[in-house]
């Protein structure tokens, strides 16, 4: 017994993940600086509130102990270690781009061979150089091949085969048009390009095309078989292309992460060193603002600034890890939970 067509997963990633739009926006869409700023604001407000509610004022704690030096010494060590570690990991990842001339020639040959294979498959004299246009060209051709498949199957006497193929082509067409529009203005270096590519559910389309052909094998003519092969061939090119641009995007983001952490580490270190050297007694920061000791304001702000590099790291890693989780498999393998059941009878 074949599985129901109702088991088909949604095309867009927003619908497939089954999570709220707000959560998906936080993980993927939002500017990473905004995502870093949200917890930083919460930290600042929380520290100020705790400073107000604390029955023992911070100025008294400085007299009896040395909380500034204790806390900021920890921040100093963490920032220097963390920034060094991230930059080192970044260099290890980017070292893949370095190599002898023979390695570079091999990479170049592989890239050119892939482009030529795609040009042959999509019957184009030359494929577009921009990543967004390149992916869109593949998506557009899948739509063209799907229409050719529908036309070939329309000659069949198997009404169920015709109906299922029409549903399949309609679903593919809607998804292809949506993704094509998203890719039109997408620029490499922004998440828009990768997010549009993630919305094209190519793995399920490959699986469904093969399933249709195999389950209606008796109704498949040579013309129909060629139409299936033509569609599957183009769909198989989308996977490696998306993974290639995903890899390049990850490297791009790691570079941005390293720069952001280095830029934020300098003011954070200045604030930390200033706190250690000059905020060692209550008289260093006298006065009250809005009914709260200035010492509480300064301590809260300094601690928040010291956390900026870590929050930037967190915001970038959230996006990279989310994308990596959603694209672990290449090809017709579906790792996420779906509506499929075990009521599938395999042909002996």
């Amino acid at each position: 017994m074949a599985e129901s067509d109702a088991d088909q997963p949604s095309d867009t990633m927003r619908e497939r993940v089954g999570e709220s739009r707000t959560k998906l926006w936080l993980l993927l869409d939002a500017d990473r600086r905004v995502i870093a700023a949200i917890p930083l604001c919460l930290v600042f407000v929380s520290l100020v509130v705790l400073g107000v509610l604390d029955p023992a004022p911070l100025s008294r704690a400085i007299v009896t102990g040395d909380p500034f030096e204790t806390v900021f010494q920890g921040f100093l060590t963490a920032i220097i270690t963390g920034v060094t570690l991230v930059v080192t990991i970044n260099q290890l990842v980017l070292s893949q781009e370095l190599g002898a001339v023979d390695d570079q020639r091999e990479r170049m040959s592989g890239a050119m061979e892939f482009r030529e294979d795609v040009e042959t498959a999509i019957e184009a004299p030359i494929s577009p150089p921009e990543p967004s246009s390149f992916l869109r060209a593949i998506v557009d051709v899948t739509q063209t091949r799907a229409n050719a498949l529908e036309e070939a199957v329309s000659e069949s006497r198997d009404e169920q085969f015709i109906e299922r193929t029409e549903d399949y082509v309609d679903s593919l067409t809607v998804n292809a048009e949506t993704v094509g529009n998203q890719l039109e203005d997408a620029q490499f270096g922004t998440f828009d390009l990768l997010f549009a590519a993630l919305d094209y559910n190519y793995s399920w389309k490959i699986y469904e095309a093969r399933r249709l052909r195999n389950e209606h094998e008796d109704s498949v003519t040579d013309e129909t078989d060629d139409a299936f092969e033509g569609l599957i061939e183009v769909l198989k090119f989308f996977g490696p292309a998306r993974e290639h641009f995903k890899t390049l995007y990850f490297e791009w983001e790691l570079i941005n992460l390293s720069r952001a952490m280095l830029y934020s580490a300098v003011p954070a270190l200045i604030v930390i060193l200033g706190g250690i050297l000059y905020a060692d007694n209550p008289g260093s920061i006298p006065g009250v603002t809005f009914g709260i000791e200035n010492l509480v304001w300064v301590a809260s702000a300094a601690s928040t600034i010291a956390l900026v590099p870590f929050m930037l790291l967190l915001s970038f890693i959230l996006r990279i890890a989310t994308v990596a989780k959603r694209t672990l498999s290449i090809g017709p393998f579906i790792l996420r939970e779906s509506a499929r059941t075990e009521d599938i009878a395999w042909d002996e």
Side-chain angles (χ1 to χ4, degrees):
M1 179 177 63
E3 65 178 299
S4 171
D5 291 335
D7 292 341
Q8 176 177 342
S10 301
D11 288 321
T12 64
M13 191 179 69
R14 286 188 178 91
E15 297 169 337
R16 290 197 300 270
V17 297
E19 296 173 346
S20 68
R21 286 183 173 271
T22 302
K23 182 178 180 180
L24 202 60
W25 179 82
L26 291 172
L27 291 174
L28 297 174
D29 282 350
D31 189 310
R32 296 301 90 185
R33 292 168 297 183
V34 174
I35 299 304
I38 292 174
L40 286 172
C41 292
L42 292 176
V43 168
F44 177 74
V45 172
S46 299
L47 290 176
V48 172
V49 171
L50 290 174
V52 173
L53 298 178
D54 188 1
L58 184 59
S59 57
R60 186 186 307 171
I62 293 179
V63 173
T64 59
D66 201 352
F68 268 83
E69 184 173 356
T70 302
V71 172
F72 287 160
Q73 283 285 3
F75 277 138
L76 182 63
T77 303
I79 289 176
I80 294 176
T81 303
V83 171
T84 303
L85 181 61
V86 169
V87 173
T88 301
I89 294 175
N90 186 20
Q91 294 304 313
L92 289 174
V93 173
L94 295 179
S95 65
Q96 301 177 34
E97 302 299 317
L98 307 176
V101 65
D102 289 344
D103 296 334
Q104 300 300 333
R105 288 188 63 182
E106 185 177 350
R107 291 181 58 197
M108 182 69 174
S109 297
M112 292 302 298
E113 182 179 351
F114 179 74
R115 291 183 66 90
E116 290 168 359
D117 290 344
V118 171
E119 289 163 0
T120 301
I122 67 177
E123 299 177 352
I126 188 169
S127 54
E130 300 86 1
S132 59
S133 300
F134 186 83
L135 289 175
R136 188 180 182 187
I138 297 177
V139 171
D140 289 344
V141 173
T142 61
Q143 186 176 350
T144 302
R145 296 286 176 88
N147 292 332
L149 171 63
E150 183 177 17
E151 183 177 350
V153 172
S154 64
E155 303 296 330
S156 174
R157 296 181 179 179
D158 188 339
E159 294 297 330
Q160 184 184 22
F161 186 28
I162 295 175
E163 182 179 353
R164 293 180 63 188
T165 302
E166 289 176 348
D167 292 340
Y168 170 72
V169 172
D170 289 343
S171 175
L172 186 149
T173 299
V174 171
N175 191 203
E177 290 177 348
T178 301
V179 173
N181 293 333
Q182 292 175 347
L183 288 170
E184 185 175 1
D185 299 323
Q187 295 292 326
F188 182 78
T190 66
F191 186 66
D192 294 341
L193 172 64
L194 186 57
F195 198 76
L198 292 173
D199 272 350
Y200 196 59
N201 193 6
Y202 79 95
S203 58
W204 177 267
K205 292 173 174 56
I206 293 175
Y207 168 76
E208 184 67 7
R210 297 179 68 244
R211 183 164 72 98
L212 275 173
R213 181 174 59 181
N214 294 339
E215 290 182 358
H216 296 273
E217 185 177 2
D218 295 338
S219 302
V220 175
T221 63
D222 291 341
E223 180 185 0
T224 305
D225 188 62
D226 290 341
F228 272 113
E229 281 297 329
L231 174 58
I232 293 173
E233 178 188 23
V234 179
L235 286 170
K236 288 192 296 185
F237 280 119
F238 187 87
R242 189 187 74 176
E243 292 303 304
H244 175 62
F245 295 134
K246 182 188 76 174
T247 301
L248 294 179
Y249 175 77
F250 280 178
E251 294 177 354
W252 184 286
E253 282 289 84
L254 286 173
I255 293 172
N256 289 337
L257 171 59
S258 297
R259 293 172 61 183
M261 290 195 67
L262 288 172
Y263 293 156
S264 62
V266 174
L269 288 173
I270 293 173
V271 169
I272 290 172
L273 292 173
I276 295 174
L277 295 174
Y278 304 114
D280 56 349
N281 64 79
S284 299
I285 309 172
V288 175
T289 302
F290 301 121
I292 302 173
E293 288 185 324
N294 288 336
L295 192 62
V296 172
W297 290 112
V298 171
S300 301
S303 300
T304 302
I305 293 173
L307 287 172
V308 170
F310 173 74
M311 292 304 178
L312 286 171
L313 172 63
L314 178 65
S315 66
F316 276 83
I317 294 302
L318 277 176
R319 174 185 282 174
I320 293 174
T322 302
V323 172
K325 180 181 178 181
R326 299 297 170 186
T327 57
L328 288 175
S329 173
I330 182 172
F333 293 97
I334 300 175
L335 305 182
R336 61 187 171 274
E337 181 180 357
S338 66
R340 290 170 54 82
T341 68
E342 296 180 359
D343 301 328
I344 302 175
W346 302 100
D347 293 332
E348 298 292 339

